[in-house]
Amino acid sequence: MAIRVMLVDDQVLLRTGFRMVLDAQPDMEVVAEAGDGVEALEVLRGTAVDVVLMDVRMPKLDGVETTRRICMEENPPKVLILTTFDLDEYAFSGLKAGASGFMLKDVPPGELLGAIRAVHSGDAVVAPSTTRRLLDRFAPMLPSSGKEPQLAGLGRLTEREREVMILVAQGLSNGEIAARLVLSEATVKTHVGRILTKLNLRDRVQVVVLAYETGLVRAGGGAA
């Protein structure tokens, strides 16, 4: 089955360009479009979508709040934030709202297609190190989003899982974590999966965000 994609952007020309690229792929289909967040939420009520390409700066309802509302639904589509500038506070807010990653609007078509496929398969498409740079820059300026339940949930992690979580938040890949802890990469992947399950998180991006918000890792990437 083709990946069902929704385009949410107030620029018609940009949506048209994305549609041409995506519809040319045998495994993708643009099934819906919207010019702002309010319209996007209305369309999603009656349309089955797998991945939403979400602009952040739109009239009526911006992409961050739209993403938050989408991700609160049961079995929501994955959201991929589109931003104009790297290390944008909107991208950071979008990740906190539940997006699975972000891409620059001028990304080469091949990278955008790869990102859509990765998000659809359950991966996060923003490198943990990039997420960490976002957090280092913007986390001190933003209010806490109230992570008390997840903070308590950290107590359910084993000592090894806590070690792995800290290293994920510091931007290390599974291979790098395996080398650091003298484990197999498969074992690290298993630990990451258990962390996601125990803390009710969707992907590595959310692990990084939670590690900062709960103080497990401090700005600059060091363990608390």
Side-chain angles (χ1 to χ4, degrees), residues 132-154:
R132 192 185 72 202
R133 288 190 293 121
L134 277 167
L135 287 160
D136 285 346
R137 179 167 174 180
F138 295 113
M141 307 179 210
L142 297 178
S144 170
S145 56
K147 296 293 181 180
E148 288 80 6
Q150 288 94 331
L151 180 58
L154 292 178

Side-chain angles (χ1 to χ4, degrees), residues 190-222:
T190 298
H191 283 314
V192 172
R194 288 173 178 165
I195 292 166
L196 296 176
T197 299
K198 288 182 178 181
L199 299 180
N200 194 28
L201 302 175
R202 186 171 52 252
D203 52 41
R204 294 173 75 99
V205 170
Q206 292 193 334
V207 171
V208 181
V209 172
L210 181 62
Y212 274 74
E213 290 188 329
T214 58
L216 188 62
V217 173
R218 294 178 179 144

Side-chain angles (χ1 to χ4, degrees), residues 7-189:
L7 307 175
V8 183
D9 196 298
D10 60 340
Q11 299 181 45
V12 177
L13 191 59
L14 193 64
R15 296 204 311 267
T16 300
F18 281 143
R19 176 182 279 274
M20 290 176 62
V21 171
L22 300 185
D23 280 345
Q25 305 305 307
D27 61 339
M28 294 184 192
E29 177 186 7
V30 176
V31 296
E33 294 186 29
D36 60 66
V38 172
E39 183 182 3
L41 294 173
E42 292 175 353
V43 171
L44 280 171
R45 292 190 186 102
T47 307
V49 174
D50 298 312
V51 178
V52 179
L53 292 187
M54 179 75 70
D55 186 24
V56 287
R57 306 185 191 196
M58 298 182 295
K60 297 184 181 178
L61 192 67
D62 67 32
V64 173
E65 177 60 20
T66 305
T67 297
R68 187 187 68 79
R69 295 188 190 185
I70 289 173
C71 292
M72 289 176 64
E73 296 293 326
E74 186 175 356
N75 298 318
K78 302 295 176 61
V79 178
L80 187 56
I81 292 286
L82 297 175
T83 182
T84 305
F85 303 105
D86 194 8
L87 294 185
D88 187 316
E89 69 271 20
Y90 288 97
F92 171 73
S93 298
L95 294 176
K96 288 187 67 176
S100 293
F102 71 91
M103 301 290 289
L104 296 176
K105 282 190 174 183
D106 61 356
V107 65
E111 289 186 25
L112 177 64
L113 297 172
I116 293 171
R117 294 183 180 107
V119 164
H120 180 251
S121 71
D123 291 334
V125 299
V126 52
S129 57
T130 303
T131 307
R132 192 185 72 202
R133 288 190 293 121
L134 277 167
L135 287 160
D136 285 346
R137 179 167 174 180
F138 295 113
M141 307 179 210
L142 297 178
S144 170
S145 56
K147 296 293 181 180
E148 288 80 6
Q150 288 94 331
L151 180 58
L154 292 178
R156 296 198 296 271
L157 300 182
T158 65
E159 184 177 347
R160 178 64 84 187
E161 288 165 354
R162 196 178 181 94
E163 279 185 289
V164 170
M165 182 174 179
I166 289 171
L167 293 176
V168 168
Q170 291 174 341
L172 275 66
S173 68
N174 284 353
E176 291 167 336
I177 294 171
R180 178 77 64 88
L181 299 180
V182 195
L183 300 171
S184 72
E185 197 163 337
T187 298
V188 173
K189 187 174 182 180

